[in-house]
Amino acid sequence: MHSKNKQAALSYAQKGWKVFPVTPNQKRPLTALAPQGHKNATSDSAIIEQWWTEHPNANIGLNLEASRLVCIDVDSYKESKTTATRWFQDEDIVK
């Protein structure tokens, strides 16, 4: 049976995104499996199966550059949230 995190990691890999395991409830790579963190990220389903079978509660990290993704982190508690939301709407990114 697949853990939810394993299912999600495999789904991301199907999109070509490069994933790696992250220590549960933290923001650090699970170095027992991915000693170089984001540099170990992969979309290889066999490796992902192995990682999340060994650590089903591992969080999912993404190597954004290798996955050709961009992340915009808007802190909801800051005034900049309003500005960012307005920009996304103006650019027709968020409805």
Side-chain angles (χ1 to χ4, degrees):
M1 185 161 136
H2 289 287
S3 71
K4 287 184 180 183
N5 287 0
K6 182 192 288 188
Q7 289 175 333
L10 289 168
S11 174
Y12 299 156
Q14 287 179 335
K15 298 172 189 276
W17 299 353
K18 311 297 184 188
V19 302
F20 62 97
V22 174
T23 303
N25 302 315
Q26 296 183 25
K27 295 181 179 181
R28 293 184 327 201
L30 189 57
T31 55
L33 299 177
Q36 296 180 336
H38 73 280
K39 293 179 181 179
N40 294 119
T42 185
S43 57
D44 183 318
S45 61
I47 294 172
I48 294 167
E49 284 276 354
Q50 178 185 344
W51 282 344
W52 272 271
T53 296
E54 290 181 34
H55 291 273
N57 295 322
N59 291 340
I60 303 167
L62 288 171
N63 181 325
L64 297 174
E65 182 178 5
S67 301
R68 301 181 57 105
L69 296 172
V70 175
C71 176
I72 300 173
D73 182 12
V74 178
D75 295 319
S76 61
Y77 59 90
K78 293 184 180 176
E79 185 178 323
S80 62
K81 178 186 176 194
T82 304
T83 304
T85 301
R86 190 174 311 116
W87 181 80
F88 288 133
Q89 290 169 339
D90 289 348
E91 295 299 319
D92 201 28
I93 296 170
V94 174
K95 304 252 182 224

